[in-house]
Amino acid sequence: MNLEFVCNGKQKLNQHDVDRIIRLLREGGLCILPSDSSYILTGLVSDQKVSKDIDLLLERNRAPMSLTFGDLKKITEKMDCRNQACEFLKKLTPYGLTFVMKPLKKAFNRFSTNCLYADGTIGVRLSRSVIETQIADFFPMPSVPIRNSKFTEVFTAEEAWKIVSERSAKLHVYRKIAMVDDFVINPGQLSTVVREKMQDGYQYIEIMRKGAISTEMIRKVALECKYKGIV
């Protein structure tokens, strides 16, 4: 693994560093950076080879990847985000929510299957990390936690680099990489994962994974958004 450069974020990147990272990702490189709950490894996964390498380096065994978007408008341009779902997202993001939904176009549906290892749906999110959002403003990017040998998320650039570089050497994955050295805002607070579910003729919010947002808050906001409740 070739470490091209390290940026010191201070919770926000300057435009020069943003441009350098975007250029490297578009050339097939990877980036280690602080998300809102852990350090992540990300890249431009419209390239299936990049997607495959992230999956290998993070030992995910083709577990689905979620995508971070730059803002809600960009989500609505790509995803089947109807009125209730949009209102739900407005109320609960960017506070630790991943909403699994269907893409609008068949091409993005194939992208879900071929590049994100999902079932045609995509888990979409807005990040509490300004740095992650700065990069995601250019294109949706996977938000995949780096985990150690105990399968625990890591919260420092040093540990994240150690894990990724060692696995890169072991697995013969050679890509240029950028790293942002900063602190994680909400360490360990993984997002709550939800989706819409039709049941008995009514639309509910289904909690797929409990996380940063409480079940009580999910229920409250679901009812405010005219869902029948939660399941």
Side-chain angles (χ1 to χ4, degrees):
M1 185 70 73
N2 182 11
L3 182 59
E4 287 287 289
F5 55 86
V6 178
C7 307
N8 292 302
K10 295 184 180 179
Q11 292 302 289
K12 186 175 182 179
L13 295 170
N14 62 49
Q15 193 57 50
H16 174 68
D17 285 337
V18 170
D19 292 343
R20 286 201 296 169
I21 291 171
I22 294 301
R23 189 180 309 115
L24 183 142
L25 296 182
R26 284 180 170 154
E27 292 171 353
L30 302 173
C31 185
I32 294 171
L33 59 85
S35 180
D36 41 15
S37 61
S38 72
Y39 256 83
I40 65 171
L41 179 66
T42 195
L44 186 53
V45 291
S46 53
D47 182 338
Q48 284 183 254
K49 293 180 180 178
V50 173
S51 175
K52 179 183 176 183
D53 283 350
I54 291 175
D55 182 71
L56 279 172
L57 290 170
L58 300 187
E59 299 180 344
R60 292 180 59 81
N61 297 314
R62 299 175 66 90
M65 300 180 191
S66 62
L67 287 183
T68 297
F69 286 74
D71 55 45
L72 184 57
K73 184 176 183 292
K74 289 181 171 64
I75 291 177
T76 61
E77 289 170 353
K78 297 285 187 182
M79 309 303 297
D80 187 9
C81 184
R82 307 185 187 215
N83 291 339
Q84 282 174 290
C86 280
E87 191 62 26
F88 191 88
L89 280 166
K90 283 179 185 177
K91 288 177 178 288
L92 286 179
T93 56
Y95 302 114
L97 180 77
T98 298
F99 201 127
V100 177
M101 54 183 63
K102 295 180 181 179
L104 283 173
K105 296 181 180 179
K106 288 183 178 179
F108 219 54
N109 188 286
R110 291 192 294 272
F111 168 70
S112 161
T113 305
N114 297 332
C115 300
L116 302 179
Y117 308 113
D119 60 359
T121 61
I122 296 173
V124 304
R125 64 189 300 272
L126 300 174
S127 179
R128 293 164 287 181
S129 163
V130 174
I131 291 170
E132 185 177 14
T133 301
Q134 285 180 281
I135 306 303
D137 198 47
F138 287 82
F139 42 74
M141 53 180 255
S143 186
V144 189
I146 299 170
R147 293 186 168 98
N148 58 28
S149 58
K150 296 179 180 178
F151 210 65
T152 301
E153 293 80 28
V154 302
F155 309 126
T156 67
E158 182 181 10
E159 186 176 6
W161 168 248
K162 183 175 186 295
I163 291 168
V164 172
S165 60
E166 287 178 355
R167 290 179 185 170
S168 173
K170 178 182 176 181
L171 297 168
H172 307 291
V173 175
Y174 303 113
R175 289 186 182 274
K176 294 179 180 179
I177 193 162
M179 184 166 66
V180 180
D181 189 355
D182 210 323
F183 65 88
V184 175
I185 307 167
N186 300 105
Q189 294 184 23
L190 297 180
S191 59
T192 299
V193 182
V194 304
R195 65 182 174 188
E196 292 181 326
K197 184 175 183 179
M198 184 67 73
Q199 185 171 297
D200 300 325
Y202 294 101
Q203 192 79 281
Y204 289 81
I205 288 290
E206 179 182 10
I207 299 176
M208 302 173 69
R209 184 186 75 189
K210 294 181 179 180
I213 303 175
S214 70
T215 299
E216 292 74 19
M217 180 59 71
I218 296 291
R219 180 185 291 107
K220 177 179 179 292
V221 174
L223 292 171
E224 289 174 357
C225 296
K226 310 304 181 185
Y227 290 100
K228 187 67 174 176
I230 65 172
V231 291

